[in-house]
Amino acid sequence: MAQDGTRKVYVKSYGCQMNVYDAQRMADVLAPEGYAETADMADADVVVLNTCHIREKAAEKVYSELGRVREVRRDRALDGRETQIVVAGCVAQAEGGEILRRAKGVDLVVGPQSYHRLPGLLEQARRSPGVVDTEFPAAAKFDHLPGASREKTRARGVSAFLTVQEGCDKFCTFCVVPYTRGAEASRPVYAILREAERLAAAGVREVTLLGQNVNAYHGQGPDGAAWTLGALMRRLAEVPGLERLRYTTSHPRDMDAELIAAHRDLPAVMPYLHLPVQSGSDAVLAAMNRRHTRDDYLRLVDQVRAARPDIALSSDFIVGFPGETDADFRDTMDLIERVGFAAAYSFKYSPRPGTPAADMAAQVAEPAMTERLHALQALLDHQLRAFNAATIGRTVDVLVERPGRHPGQLVGKSPYLQAVAFEGRGAAAGDIIPVTVVGTGSYSLLGERADIEPERATA
């Protein structure tokens, strides 16, 4: 604890963007109790591992990291400083007290539904370590999010996440989300608007709407009716100061005509859509309980591109799902070739305890999964490089986020989520600058300002 009585909290998040948002929620709820965030674990009085349970390796990383945290606590104890260890997130929700049995020294295990109780739980764990709180409370799921209170919203930059939906009712056979995050639930429109307005007032220019199945949004509107995500985005596009809207993660079955029309009609909706397909094989999709076919997905892509021709697509792929044959995998590669993705996330299938797929016969051998993953990733990497190269010579609007590596250089985000570095003296974070792309780097695009003459760029 600092001499002024302030405690330090360190939060390390794994997995999805919802966890990044949840990490901010935890810091926000602890701030009024005298906790300040720190980026140095060794400086923290409370260490929170905000976990992901989607894949086995993600869960195993937590137990490995707990060993490191215990070493930090031991070193701090030599100086007379106490350290509380907290496991939060989906691994906490799924495994509960098993974490205490498997990893000695954990003081608190807390699920995503209980973060608003974190200060009291930490105090309880201080008196008696080994507290577990993974119950789904009866209270409304969103009552304790930032926009649900009158506290000032804290912005952490010019881009921000905003939760609009949690949980999932799809029950894909490989996924633990319905068990760790619960059933689909949507925030009311007024609460989302209130938080969006506060974010905009705090300097946020771009908001990404979050949900495990975000396009299943059905929150109550001011007219008493259930609003769709498309209707919500039309209203958010009217918030002064918000220039860009994104959303993630989507399910193809919930991509309705109103949402597609929002891509067509609203300049604030960025031309970038993350639309997971998981596989290009109908047999595998059926075994996954995805409830769409490859042709359904391809038709949907055509509809989206007809509405917004400049849209870029990203997706998720799982290779080696139980029963996947070489022919099934070729169908996935064919789908990737047909669609053409700007980015994608690919993973080997990882059995999660309690999911139907974990008990399926015909589990795919590890060498076959590895070979398929390498081939799939090579194709996706080729498409990513081609997409980036195709932007050379184009002028794109860049939302400035931070200084670059060199004096006068700025780094921002294109509408397609590409990092763009350019000489930008005279611009500042939050500005949206037209930039002509002149080259590609290892991790970003290189550009020149298009709104001023090159020789004036240093003025």
Side-chain angles (χ1 to χ4, degrees):
M1 185 183 300
Q3 291 182 349
D4 61 1
T6 301
R7 294 189 176 98
K8 299 289 185 67
V9 58
Y10 170 88
V11 183
K12 181 171 184 176
S13 288
Y14 303 78
C16 68
Q17 289 172 316
M18 185 69 81
N19 268 11
V20 176
Y21 181 85
D22 283 346
Q24 295 175 359
R25 286 174 56 196
M26 285 187 270
D28 285 345
V29 79
L30 288 172
E33 306 298 322
Y35 288 86
E37 294 177 79
T38 178
D40 183 2
M41 184 191 297
D43 192 38
D45 303 286
V46 176
V47 175
V48 181
L49 301 185
N50 188 24
T51 62
C52 173
H53 204 263
I54 295 297
R55 283 167 293 279
E56 183 176 12
K57 286 186 178 180
E60 289 302 318
K61 283 181 181 178
V62 176
Y63 291 103
S64 174
E65 185 71 7
L66 282 170
R68 179 177 168 229
V69 177
R70 287 194 295 269
E71 291 179 1
V72 169
R73 175 158 68 180
R74 186 167 55 247
D75 292 342
R76 282 171 52 87
L78 296 175
D79 297 329
R81 296 179 294 170
E82 296 182 354
T83 309
Q84 286 186 284
I85 300 176
V86 180
V87 178
C90 290
V91 173
Q93 186 68 44
E95 301 191 11
E98 177 64 22
I99 294 172
L100 300 180
R101 291 186 285 273
R102 186 172 172 185
K104 303 299 182 184
V106 173
D107 297 289
L108 170 61
V109 177
V110 57
Q113 316 303 320
S114 302
Y115 295 155
H116 61 286
R117 296 202 291 262
L118 196 52
L121 292 171
L122 285 172
E123 184 58 36
Q124 182 182 345
R126 192 171 291 113
R127 297 191 303 266
S128 179
V131 174
V132 177
D133 189 333
T134 56
E135 296 299 319
F136 284 95
K141 180 175 289 194
F142 300 109
D143 282 355
H144 304 282
L145 292 182
S149 71
R150 295 188 176 274
E151 295 176 8
K152 181 180 178 181
T153 297
R154 291 197 299 160
R156 292 173 170 82
V158 298
S159 300
F161 296 129
L162 198 168
T163 289
V164 302
Q165 182 270 347
E166 282 197 29
C168 185
D169 295 343
K170 296 297 183 287
F171 287 93
C172 297
T173 56
F174 56 82
C175 186
V176 297
V177 166
Y179 312 104
T180 59
R181 292 281 183 167
E184 290 176 358
S186 299
R187 289 178 80 181
V189 171
Y190 81 88
I192 295 168
L193 286 175
R194 186 163 61 188
E195 185 174 352
E197 288 164 355
R198 288 175 176 167
L199 287 169
V204 169
R205 305 296 302 280
E206 175 183 273
V207 162
T208 300
L209 308 181
L210 291 184
Q212 272 82 34
N213 191 22
V214 69
N215 55 347
Y217 177 81
H218 56 275
Q220 185 180 38
D223 56 359
W227 284 28
T228 65
L229 184 64
L232 174 66
M233 294 182 78
R234 287 183 185 276
R235 179 62 184 85
L236 286 171
E238 299 173 359
V239 174
L242 285 188
E243 301 292 336
R244 291 183 166 190
L245 295 173
R246 304 181 187 273
Y247 59 95
T248 194
T249 292
S250 301
H251 194 289
R253 281 188 54 89
D254 292 314
M255 194 78 194
D256 61 19
E258 189 171 15
L259 184 55
I260 294 173
H263 281 276
R264 179 194 65 209
D265 299 337
L266 302 177
V269 178
M270 290 295 94
Y272 185 93
L273 173 62
H274 185 63
L275 191 63
V277 63
Q278 306 300 354
S279 174
S281 160
D282 282 342
V284 173
L285 289 170
M288 289 177 167
N289 194 35
R290 290 291 289 173
R291 292 184 280 182
H292 64 78
T293 66
R294 63 178 277 124
D295 284 345
D296 292 335
Y297 188 86
L298 291 171
R299 281 194 298 270
L300 179 58
V301 168
D302 288 343
Q303 292 168 13
V304 172
R305 283 179 167 160
R308 187 70 187 260
D310 64 335
I311 201 163
L313 295 171
S314 66
S315 196
D316 293 343
F317 294 92
I318 296 174
V319 301
F321 189 81
E324 182 188 65
T325 65
D326 289 341
D328 293 325
F329 178 68
R330 286 195 296 272
D331 283 344
T332 297
M333 296 288 278
D334 176 72
L335 181 141
I336 294 171
E337 291 275 15
R338 287 171 181 259
V339 174
F341 292 97
Y345 302 94
S346 56
F347 311 95
K348 296 178 186 176
Y349 168 72
S350 175
R352 308 313 298 131
T355 60
D359 298 324
M360 289 180 177
Q363 300 282 327
V364 177
E366 180 69 23
M369 284 200 287
T370 299
E371 182 179 354
R372 291 173 188 173
L373 182 65
H374 287 166
L376 181 139
Q377 193 59 58
L379 175 56
L380 292 170
D381 287 346
H382 170 75
Q383 291 188 346
L384 169 62
R385 290 193 297 271
F387 179 78
N388 286 341
T391 62
I392 295 177
R394 291 183 58 190
T395 298
V396 295
D397 287 336
V398 175
L399 173 61
V400 180
E401 294 185 314
R402 57 182 173 82
R405 293 183 177 180
H406 311 298
Q409 187 183 65
L410 295 173
V411 176
K413 188 187 305 175
S414 82
Y416 303 103
L417 280 181
Q418 301 152 303
V420 184
F422 64 99
E423 295 301 318
R425 290 187 177 90
D431 290 343
I432 297 178
I433 304 293
V435 175
T436 301
V437 179
V438 297
T440 61
S442 300
Y443 303 103
S444 64
L445 303 180
L446 307 176
E448 295 177 350
R449 288 187 66 164
D451 59 335
I452 57 177
E453 295 295 327
E455 63 267 23
R456 294 174 57 196
T458 58

